[in-house]
Amino acid sequence: MVDAGRATGTANPGAGEIFQILRDGRARTKAELAMLTGLARSTVSGRVDALLSAGLVRPAGEAVSTGGRPPARVAFNPEAGVVLAVDLGATHATVAVADLAANILTANTHPLDIADGPERVLDSVIAEGASLLEGRGTSTSQLVGVGIGVPGPVEHSTGRPTNPPIMPGWDRFDVPHYVQRAFDVPVLVDNDVNILALGEQALSWPGVSDLIFVKVATGIGAGIISGGALQRGAQGSAGDMGHVQVPYSHDSPRPPGDERDLEAIASGTAIAADLRAQGIPASGSSDVVTLVRAGHPAAISATRQAGREVGEVLATVVNMLNPSVIVIGGSVARAGEHLLAGVREVVYRRSIPLATQHLGIVQSQAGETAGVLGAAIMVTQQVLSPAAVDARAARA
C-alpha cells in the first residue's frame, strides 16, 4: 500500500487532494485511488462522488475486469469550466479562453497602447473577453477565473501594478476590482515575464523544474521557476533584473564608471538609442530587429553587445540559482542568434563550471500564446488547488 502522505502530501487527503492525482488526465478506478492514498475504499468512493457532483471529474469507461463486474474509472474533466487569460504588452493585448487543463480554446491579439491608462485598456480587454466567450457559446457562469499579465512590476497579493515605468496611470490601480465589475470571479494579476515563464515551461520544457525566462524588449525582466514552482519573492518583484546595475567590464565598449541599469544599456530601446547616436535611424525594438535581419553590421554588433551585457547579470544568476535552462524571449530575441550568442559568450565564461556543465541557453519557441497560456496556468493553480476543490465539492 502506498503511504497517503507520500502520494498526496497530507496524512488524510480530502476530495481536493484526490483530485490532484487525477489532474494528469489519466483515468483511474476508485480502487487505484484507494491504493495510492491509503484511504478506505468507502472514503475514496464518497470523495470521488463529491468530485463527480462538482463536475470536476467524469466517468471514463470501465477498467479490465479481474473477475466479476468491471470497475468504473473516472478522469479529470477539463470542460468543467473556462478561464479568461490576458497578456498585455506595451502595444498589444492577447486575450484567450482556456479550459481547466489550460488548453487554449480560442484567442485574439489586437493592438493597444498600455499608456492609454487602466480604464481604457481594461475596458477593451473585458469587451474582447466577453466577445470570445459569446462566440464560443460559453456562459459567464462557466467562467472560474481571470488571469492577466502586465508589462511592469506587480504586487501579486493585491494584483496592483507598482511604479510600472511604461504604464502611466497604472500605479497602485486595483485591477482585480475593476475587472470583477464585469466578471465576478477571482482575478489574478502578475508581471508578464512570470506568466511567460509558466507558458514557456508548459509548452517547451514540461520536464524541467529549474528554468529562467528572460524577456528582452522595451524593458528587461526575468521569470524564475525553481524547484518546479514560480518564484515571486516576498512582494512579487523577484526577477526584476532590468534594474540591476551592470558593473563596468573591460570587455564592454562603455567607458569606466558607466554603471547604468541593465535596461538602460541592453533593452531594445537602449540599442535603438545607440544606433541613433551613430546616425542610424532606429526608434525602438522593431527597428532594431528589422536592421539585424537585413544584416546591418552596426545593428548586429550592438545587439550582440547587448547580449553580453545581459550575460553579465545572468552569470551571477546562474551561480546563485543553478537553472537547467535559460530561455531568451522578447522582441529583440526575434532578431536571430546574435543576442543569444552574446549571452552565451559571457555566461559560459563567467559562471562556475558546475553550474554550466548541463546548462542550455535557448531562444523562446512558445510563440504569442505563451503569455495567455501562462496566465491560464496561474489561474488554474489557484482555482484547482486542494482547498479550492474541497470548497467546490462541499458546495456540490
Side-chain angles (χ1 to χ4, degrees), residues 40-66:
R41 290 195 185 187
S42 58
T43 303
V44 169
S45 181
R47 291 173 183 172
V48 169
D49 288 346
L51 293 172
L52 285 164
S53 296
L56 291 170
V57 301
R58 59 190 174 191
E62 297 176 336
V64 176
S65 173
T66 56

